[in-house]
Amino acid sequence: MRPMHYLRALRGIVARELYRFVQQRERFVSALVRPLVWLFVFAAGFRSTLGLAITPPYETYILYEVYITPGLLGMIQLFNGMQSSLSMVYDREMGSMRTLLVSPLPRWFLLTAKLVAGVAVSILQVYVFLGIAWAYGIEAPVQGYLAVLPALLLSGVMLGALGLLLSSFIRQLENFAGVMNFVIFPMFFMSTALYPLWKIQESSELLYWLARWNPFSQAVELIRFALYGRFNGLACGYTAAATALFLAAAIVGYNPSKGMMQRKGGA
């Protein structure tokens, strides 16, 4: 296999995912409706009851909707990663990935290409949401809209790799929704997406430690700091380590001789 073969396959997988996303307008709308409801309805209800002290990266007191915006960006990527994994379950059984997985291209490359395609879709959704938030009056520094791009790439890959790992355990589409409920909601609510850590610590020390070391919390904090032109080294290192772990486990899971595919009788 030559480099051009890898490049052609990557371009085809990414283009197919983007084309599917453009064709499925309801998927685009649903991806935005969920965080917009949280921003316009949930945040408005909590604005007067949840005070936020000055904490990095913020240099002044902020409204609650300003605080949760980075968390909602993480929400978009989290749900998109799981949605891409859902499509992976279908493609693996009846779609294009069924053919690609038996092609001469290595599986690690095919899974990574699928992951990159999903991240590209999630970043499009994120920037559309940022545009709507800006029109609503939630503005970040101009340089933050560019500085947040690497953070979105890393967090998107991490969450997508987690979705791929979960999809390697799932044989049928009917089982996917149940598994996701045990992953998406605990990860989202036990994180800093909606509440700062010091608020969580006031109610429960155990919940505080779970939220602190939740990979999704670290991804959200990475996005939060980057959006305001700051670099969070701990969040970056933790997210990168989680990405490597989830991706390696997903690749092993899709290996027919080592992972879950062997136990299921192959892909």
Side-chain angles (χ1 to χ4, degrees), residues 2-218:
R2 298 179 180 179
M4 71 174 197
H5 295 131
Y6 288 89
L7 181 60
R8 186 180 301 165
L10 175 62
R11 184 174 58 188
I13 293 172
V14 173
R16 180 180 180 274
E17 193 69 22
L18 290 173
Y19 179 76
R20 176 193 292 181
F21 176 71
V22 171
Q23 292 296 313
Q24 297 174 346
R25 294 182 178 87
E26 64 280 359
R27 178 181 170 188
F28 177 75
V29 173
S30 63
L32 292 178
V33 166
R34 188 182 301 109
L36 288 175
V37 167
W38 282 86
L39 181 64
F40 295 148
V41 180
F42 184 84
F46 277 80
R47 178 189 297 175
S48 59
T49 59
L50 186 60
L52 296 175
I54 302 175
T55 55
Y58 308 107
E59 299 177 353
T60 183
Y61 291 98
I62 57 172
L63 296 175
Y64 182 60
E65 53 259 44
V66 175
Y67 175 82
I68 69 169
T69 295
L72 297 180
L73 301 184
M75 173 198 272
I76 292 172
Q77 293 199 303
L78 174 63
F79 277 86
N80 183 81
M82 299 307 160
Q83 181 71 25
S84 296
S85 300
L86 175 61
S87 68
M88 184 65 176
V89 175
Y90 175 82
D91 283 348
R92 188 185 65 208
E93 299 300 323
M94 295 172 286
S96 60
M97 287 302 293
R98 182 178 179 87
T99 302
L100 288 173
L101 286 173
V102 295
S103 70
L105 290 166
R107 290 198 171 205
W108 67 262
F109 174 78
L110 295 171
L111 294 174
T112 305
K114 176 71 173 178
L115 192 56
V116 170
V119 174
V121 170
S122 73
I123 290 178
L124 286 176
Q125 296 171 342
V126 163
Y127 274 101
V128 171
F129 178 80
L130 282 173
I132 296 174
W134 178 84
Y136 185 61
I138 302 174
E139 301 179 13
V142 176
Q143 67 274 15
Y145 292 103
L146 292 177
V148 77
L149 181 57
L152 293 173
L153 287 170
L154 182 57
S155 61
V157 171
M158 184 200 75
L159 296 170
L162 175 60
L164 276 180
L165 174 59
L166 293 174
S167 71
S168 69
F169 289 88
I170 300 170
R171 179 69 172 177
Q172 296 178 339
L173 288 173
E174 292 77 8
N175 300 331
F176 193 86
V179 173
M180 291 303 97
N181 287 333
F182 288 99
V183 176
I184 291 180
F185 294 110
M187 283 193 73
F188 180 70
F189 287 108
M190 287 194 300
S191 73
T192 59
L194 301 178
Y195 322 101
L197 278 174
W198 62 270
K199 278 286 187 183
I200 299 175
Q201 191 174 21
E202 288 179 354
S203 61
S204 170
E205 192 70 24
L206 175 60
L207 189 58
Y208 164 78
W209 285 106
L210 290 174
R212 181 178 179 85
W213 298 113
N214 180 356
F216 183 68
S217 286
Q218 300 297 329

